[in-house]
Amino acid sequence: MKSYSLRSPAKINLYLEIVGDRPDGFHELATIFQSIDLADIVHVRSGLQGVIRVECEAAGVPNDPTNLAYRAAALMSERFPEAFAKFGGVDIEIDKRIPVAAGLAGGSGNGAAVLVGLDLAWGLGLTQGELQDLAAELGSDVPFCVCGGTVLATGRGEVLDPLAGVDQVWLVLAKYRSLGVSTPWAYKTYRSQFGADYARTSEALAARHSAARSGPMVRSLQSLAAGDRSALPNLRSLLRNDLERVVLPEHPQIAHLREVLDGLAPLGAMMSGSGPSVFALAESEAQATEIQAAARSTLPDPDLEFWVTKFNAAGIRPVEASQPIA
Ligand code: C5P
């Protein structure tokens, strides 16, 4: 079996609207995912016959069957037992650069990379749709990670409506190393506080989905993708993340970080997913670097980490031999 090394990019949510409850206990969402340059590298190789092994040296990443990369390989071995037997076991090594448990879908991306890597290594020739169906069995944002770019997602987050990819926008990401937010807690708390506003009928759900689809955030992103930079300042007022309503009051440290970044970034700042990472948008790398330096001097806490990175229009991609890994 050929070995593959794949870039598994992080994502942010530029828009996250909680629309309602679902019979499966999850929430019905309208969200806009955006891939960014910050990426892990996932190596997929053949291993000991019948054995799946995951290795990652980063703290907080389990090297066991709870790792989404392991679960992705186990799912592929169940669905394609002949390929699993023919090519031996699966050895997965993850070079972690994306902060763990940050609301950036790092683990989901690693799972997506293993699906794509094994499809290539085992010569299965799965379609994008087939890969996304497998991905949905692993987690709500794994299908997006397979696809990447700029995507409006509904359902649990697994019904994808790809938009034209946006890539000339920079961002500063910030995260307190020692802070974690439980995603199930965030959604459960949101339901208990704001569940009364949920869309209750299929008509109401459809109306909210279609409002997001034809809404000003999608229109501004489409203008940006077409090269119209005059749409950039719109982003500030269009960023939305409903989960901030429960996470920020519970974690004043995240609320303060968001306030500092929002005060420094002309294009605005927001928490990504269920947090705790916060991003600030910038129109150039120089502006992002200035925002980072100013935030660092306002908040000199060594527990706070920063990254300057950029939107990326691609999802999981094999690393070319000539391509520098960054
Ligand atoms: O699918 P994933 O494992 O990423 O979801 C983590 C948790 O987030 C779920 O167990 C659920 O509590 C919550 N969630 C939700 N509605 C979604 C996505 C996630 O309630 N659409």
Side-chain angles (χ1 to χ4, degrees), residues 17 19-21 28-30 152 154-155 198-214:
E17 178 182 351
V19 176
D21 265 325
E28 192 65 34
L29 305 178
L152 172 74
T154 52
Y198 284 0
R200 300 268 164 228
T201 61
S202 51
E203 291 78 15
L205 276 178
R208 283 180 66 176
H209 282 155
S210 98
R213 227 171 256 127
S214 58

Side-chain angles (χ1 to χ4, degrees), residues 4 52 61 71 92 103 113 115-116 130 141 149 230 242 245 280-281 290 304 319-320 322 324-325:
Y4 282 89
I52 297 169
V61 180
R71 287 179 46 208
I92 301 160
L115 296 180
V116 172
E130 287 166 335
D141 47 16
S230 71
D242 286 351
R245 297 172 78 187
L281 299 180
E290 270 170 38
L304 182 59
V319 177
E320 306 292 339
S322 58
I325 299 172

Side-chain angles (χ1 to χ4, degrees), residues 229-240:
R229 306 282 289 171
S230 71
L232 260 181
N234 302 347
L235 297 184
R236 179 175 190 98
S237 63
L238 299 175
L239 293 171
R240 170 172 176 172

Side-chain angles (χ1 to χ4, degrees), residues 22 25-29 138-141 155-157 183-184 187 191:
R22 292 168 54 93
F26 280 69
H27 284 83
E28 192 65 34
L29 305 178
L138 298 172
S140 305
D141 47 16
R156 285 195 289 138
T183 306
Y187 278 102
R191 179 186 285 122

Side-chain angles (χ1 to χ4, degrees), residues 4 6 37 88 122 125 142 167 179 211 234 249 261 278-280 284 318 323 326:
Y4 282 89
L6 304 116
D37 274 354
W122 292 351
V142 187
D167 60 1
L179 213 61
N234 302 347
L261 284 172
V278 176
F279 64 85
S284 64
Q323 188 184 326

Side-chain angles (χ1 to χ4, degrees), residues 276-312:
S277 61
V278 176
F279 64 85
L281 299 180
E283 61 186 50
S284 64
E285 186 171 17
Q287 188 181 68
T289 308
E290 270 170 38
I291 295 168
Q292 179 192 27
R296 165 67 73 213
S297 72
T298 311
L299 299 165
D301 187 339
D303 192 43
L304 182 59
E305 288 188 288
F306 290 97
W307 297 259
V308 167
T309 181
K310 183 171 159 286
F311 286 17
N312 188 315

